Amino acid sequence: MISDEILAKLARCVAVSVDEFGRTFARAQSQRDSVQDHATVAALYPDVPTIIACLRFAREEQFLRRLLRKSIEAQVAGPILSPNGQVFAELCREHAGVTPSLDVDTARAAIEEMALALTTEKEGAVTQPVFDRQAVNPQGYDAEVAFLAAQLQNTMRKVCRIVDGRNGVSGSGVLIAPHLVATAAHVLEPLLDRETGDYRTDAADTLKVKLDMLATSDAEADRTIDVAEKWLVAEARCDFQRDAAGKLTLPPPEQLMDSHDVAILRLKDAPGLTRGWVSLEQVASRGEPNRHGLLLHHHPGGGAQMVSYGSHKGAHGSRFLHSCSSLGGSSGGPLISQAARIVGLHHGAVKDADPVLNVGGGGAWLARWWREHPDDHMPDPSLNPLWEWRPAGAVGTGIPVIGFESLQHSVWFAQLATEPMAAVVSMPRVAGALLVDIISSMLPPGGATVLRIRRAELDRIAMATLESREPTSAVLEALANQLQLPVAAAPTELPTSDLSTDSVRAANAVAALADRLGRVQAAGPVWLLVHVEDKPMRTAASEALGYLYRALLSIQGGRGRLLVIGDHPGMAAAVQDMLRDSVSGPVLKWSFAEPSESDIETYLVRWAQAVAPDKPDVRASLQGSGWLFLKAAQAAVIQGGDFYAALCDLLREQFDRALGIRA
């Protein structure tokens, strides 16, 4: 058993807030019958800090290993590449046997292995690698290692095993949308009816998708999801043939000119809403042979997820050859380029090839399908778990947030984009402050850096710098410290005049700040979430925010993402004025889609089931009343009120009355 002393060391490494750690604590209990929030657990151990209380509770309830693994994934102590994150991961490994999915040494070894695979064979001699690391990543080798580490950790959460034990289905797949999985079509071949050529009608009862099948002894790590009743979304069947032994083999490449071997499955759940998915909008071209390092994420032999390293080896009909090692069960695994773009799916080995070569493909087909079927890769609103929110994330106990799906999609599309983005979102005051936490929890750990500024922090900084000779400069530096940005690459002179009156110094300050922001994380977008509320702001604070916004959107590689949250109708125009020429397009306005009667009805039923399962009369009293809430909220808009503020107030009032909290 892990001692209290070690738990205290782990707690000292945690760098996030208690509430943020509480969300990780809640996720670690997702497979338990009874979920306790961090506040409740803290009351059980009143003599120790809350985080230590959570660790002790997890130890006593025998889910500490799962909590530690989730804590590493959520980077509660920072990235594994940071000193704090390394200490936390090392303690987990040494005292609990919990190994992070990737460490720095593994990333370095992976790059060296890909470099070896990226060699050119000429007259039997192997030459030096034919790619230049500096060209791949101008920030240098260490940044390349960090980028690959983050990419591998990110992709691992999106790769799954396709399995049907009764019918002998075993393969790999990858999330390509919140609720869709792509795999090789031949993986599903055992489900075909030999006479009709159609899939058997009972396939939905036995076909499963397993996520989080990593190399671990924790039996609770796997997450199994059923496929939907109408599980096949699209397919392009393969041209495999059976040999004399009944084994599937590929025909010659000249017979593979229009063959893709791809299938898309629909799930009953939408795990991608919380873990992300591999983008199909940026499918990499097959490119020139021997110049593309590839990583194959797969489940060889139906076991834990593995990563193989190799390279592109030339065309093979409409597919391509690659040298990533594989076994049975690897088919359908994604082939990812060094630039973190999907190239295709693994299909199988070339018979009698020497040296051993594999076949991949289907990437272009998937990209075309994605463009031509925009409605199919949007999950049904009923799959969205974020119907109501409070800091601990429990359903039915906080502020109603209905219609969140449209905003959620906007966030994910911005995360996957390659250009900087600036947007505003208007929320009623009752829920706006919590939206920062909601969005932070949606973005993938390791795949995005989230920086947050709350209005209370901004006001405190503005008051503290009120007497400064250069208030805008002072506020900007205080904000940089608040966000814990890396120090400037080269020390800058303190301006003799304020930034707002010296355009040259202002430009230099923005450039220096952009450099500091760009070094927050080696890869992935950098998000800045600012909650401005709806009240006057001091001039120095407003000007400092403008410089911070422009610096964020100037980060090299277009990785800056700005989201300003408030409830003032002129917010978008104000942000646009702050940015001036920093963005090519207008500031986007993200809004919540107005819910329908059925949306509200479903929400009410879910709330009653979560909060009052032993009170059937409560559920009965709420059924059929969705239209009343909708009409009342619409009436509030006519009278100059806010739709969501009115809806939230009405729902809370009804909930309190139903539970007898208020007469």
Side-chain angles (χ1 to χ4, degrees):
M1 179 179 289
I2 300 179
S3 67
D4 289 348
E5 181 184 359
I6 299 301
L7 296 185
K9 288 182 179 180
L10 287 165
R12 285 197 293 272
C13 292
V14 173
V16 298
S17 67
V18 172
D19 285 344
E20 193 163 346
F21 184 82
R23 289 193 291 276
T24 302
F25 180 67
R27 285 195 292 271
Q29 302 175 71
S30 61
Q31 297 185 359
R32 287 168 49 83
D33 293 334
S34 176
V35 177
Q36 302 294 329
D37 65 27
H38 64 286
T40 302
V41 170
L44 300 176
Y45 301 87
D47 299 330
V48 298
T50 300
I51 292 176
I52 295 180
C54 290
L55 293 170
R56 287 189 182 180
F57 181 82
R59 181 185 63 188
E60 300 304 322
E61 296 294 319
Q62 300 183 352
F63 67 94
L64 178 59
R65 285 167 54 81
R66 185 173 176 82
L67 173 58
L68 294 178
R69 186 178 300 106
K70 292 294 182 183
S71 297
I72 292 173
E73 291 176 0
Q75 297 187 6
V76 301
I80 297 176
L81 299 173
S82 68
N84 219 35
Q86 284 182 342
V87 172
F88 187 88
E90 194 58 40
L91 287 170
C92 293
R93 181 189 296 111
E94 181 179 351
H95 297 283
V98 175
T99 304
S101 52
L102 192 76
D103 56 28
V104 179
D105 292 336
T106 306
R108 290 182 184 278
I111 286 181
E112 296 301 336
E113 193 166 348
M114 280 195 291
L116 185 62
L118 284 166
T119 55
T120 303
E121 298 177 7
K122 185 176 181 181
E123 297 180 357
V126 179
T127 67
Q128 292 299 312
V130 296
F131 79 104
D132 180 4
R133 283 201 181 95
Q134 198 70 13
V136 173
N137 192 329
Q139 298 181 63
Y141 183 69
D142 288 340
E144 185 183 351
V145 170
F147 177 82
L148 183 62
Q151 173 193 336
L152 283 167
Q153 287 180 319
N154 251 341
T155 307
M156 282 177 176
R157 289 176 50 79
K158 302 162 188 173
V159 173
C160 57
R161 184 184 173 211
I162 313 295
V163 59
D164 182 342
R166 190 176 75 183
N167 295 304
V169 172
S170 180
S172 303
V174 60
L175 283 166
I176 58 169
H179 62 314
L180 299 180
V181 165
T183 187
H186 78 264
V187 168
L188 308 173
E189 200 260 355
L191 299 176
L192 287 173
D193 186 309
R194 301 297 177 201
E195 295 182 2
T196 65
D198 297 327
Y199 292 101
R200 294 199 298 273
T201 55
D202 62 348
D205 299 330
T206 54
L207 187 59
K208 311 288 183 185
V209 165
K210 287 180 174 288
L211 290 157
D212 298 332
M213 279 191 64
L214 305 176
T216 172
S217 59
D218 188 344
E220 292 185 351
D222 302 346
R223 181 184 177 189
T224 301
I225 301 176
D226 295 332
V227 296
E229 184 178 354
K230 296 181 179 180
W231 53 272
L232 185 64
V233 179
E235 66 170 341
R237 292 188 187 177
C238 60
D239 293 317
F240 280 88
Q241 301 168 353
R242 289 189 178 273
D243 59 18
K247 185 178 179 180
L248 291 174
T249 60
L250 275 170
E254 61 271 12
Q255 298 180 28
L256 290 174
M257 296 312 296
D258 190 24
S259 174
H260 304 285
D261 192 12
V262 181
I264 300 175
L265 314 180
R266 181 184 288 109
L267 307 180
K268 279 188 176 180
D269 199 356
L273 291 176
T274 54
R275 65 181 64 213
W277 60 88
V278 174
S279 172
L280 294 184
E281 295 182 341
Q282 301 175 41
V283 173
S285 63
R286 289 180 297 176
E288 183 180 345
N290 295 316
R291 293 189 67 87
H292 282 259
L294 296 178
L295 299 92
L296 169 60
H297 291 257
H298 55 133
H299 289 276
Q305 187 181 147
M306 301 288 288
V307 181
S308 300
Y309 312 97
S311 63
H312 180 284
K313 291 294 184 181
H316 191 78
S318 59
R319 309 187 201 184
F320 60 91
L321 300 171
H322 70 87
S323 59
C324 300
S325 59
S326 65
L327 289 173
S330 300
S331 293
L335 288 154
I336 308 291
S337 73
Q338 269 188 289
R341 296 167 66 184
I342 188 169
V343 177
L345 304 177
H346 171 69
H347 290 158
V350 178
K351 188 177 182 181
D352 300 328
D354 186 20
V356 176
L357 286 175
N358 290 317
V359 177
W365 186 91
L366 284 168
R368 185 169 62 251
W369 177 87
W370 182 272
R371 291 192 302 269
E372 294 173 354
H373 299 83
D375 294 336
D376 288 335
H377 47 78
M378 288 289 188
D380 187 275
S382 64
L383 297 179
N384 189 346
L386 296 173
W387 285 70
E388 185 171 354
W389 182 265
R390 70 169 180 140
V395 173
T397 54
I399 296 169
V401 182
I402 303 178
F404 188 70
E405 294 81 4
S406 58
L407 177 62
Q408 199 167 31
H409 294 153
S410 297
V411 169
W412 272 112
F413 289 144
Q415 167 71 9
L416 298 171
T418 57
E419 298 293 331
M421 179 280 306
V424 298
V425 57
S426 179
M427 273 287 292
R429 192 169 303 173
V430 69
L434 295 177
L435 192 59
V436 172
D437 293 323
I438 296 175
I439 293 174
S440 298
S441 69
M442 289 167 46
L443 294 167
T449 297
V450 183
L451 308 175
R452 290 168 284 196
I453 298 175
R454 301 180 188 278
R455 182 55 189 265
E457 297 166 344
L458 187 62
D459 289 343
R460 175 182 56 77
I461 290 172
M463 287 298 296
T465 57
L466 193 60
E467 303 301 325
S468 173
R469 289 179 55 196
E470 297 88 26
T472 303
S473 304
V475 171
L476 191 58
E477 184 60 31
L479 284 174
N481 293 334
Q482 176 76 27
L483 297 172
Q484 299 182 338
L485 301 185
V487 296
T492 54
E493 223 179 291
L494 187 67
T496 55
S497 57
D498 199 34
L499 297 178
S500 57
T501 58
D502 191 324
S503 59
V504 175
R505 291 189 181 278
N508 290 339
V510 168
L513 194 58
D515 175 69
R516 295 174 67 181
L517 285 162
R519 289 187 288 115
V520 168
Q521 178 172 299
V526 178
W527 285 78
L528 176 62
L529 310 181
V530 184
H531 183 221
V532 297
E533 294 186 357
D534 180 17
K535 58 184 178 181
M537 187 182 300
R538 293 186 180 277
T539 302
S542 178
E543 291 178 344
L545 281 180
Y547 292 120
L548 181 61
Y549 294 170
R550 291 198 286 277
L552 178 81
L553 300 178
S554 303
I555 295 176
Q556 186 178 12
R559 296 189 294 123
R561 307 287 187 271
L562 171 64
L563 189 58
V564 183
I565 302 162
D567 52 352
H568 192 283
M571 189 165 54
V575 174
Q576 185 79 62
D577 183 60
M578 286 177 165
L579 293 175
R580 299 186 181 95
D581 299 325
S582 298
V583 288
S584 57
V587 172
L588 304 174
K589 292 183 180 180
W590 290 352
S591 60
F592 284 63
E594 183 175 309
S596 64
E597 290 181 24
S598 61
D599 291 334
I600 298 177
E601 182 77 19
T602 302
Y603 173 76
L604 292 170
V605 172
R606 286 179 56 168
W607 178 87
Q609 289 173 332
V611 176
D614 57 340
K615 295 185 177 181
D617 56 319
V618 171
R619 178 174 174 178
S621 68
L622 295 173
Q623 285 182 323
S625 58
W627 67 276
L628 288 171
F629 291 96
L630 183 61
K631 296 298 182 185
Q634 291 171 341
V637 174
I638 296 174
Q639 298 172 10
D642 180 274
F643 177 89
Y644 278 97
L647 184 59
C648 290
D649 289 343
L650 289 165
L651 288 169
R652 290 307 310 170
E653 182 179 352
Q654 177 64 34
F655 296 162
D656 291 346
R657 184 181 296 112
L659 293 177
I661 297 174
R662 188 169 60 202

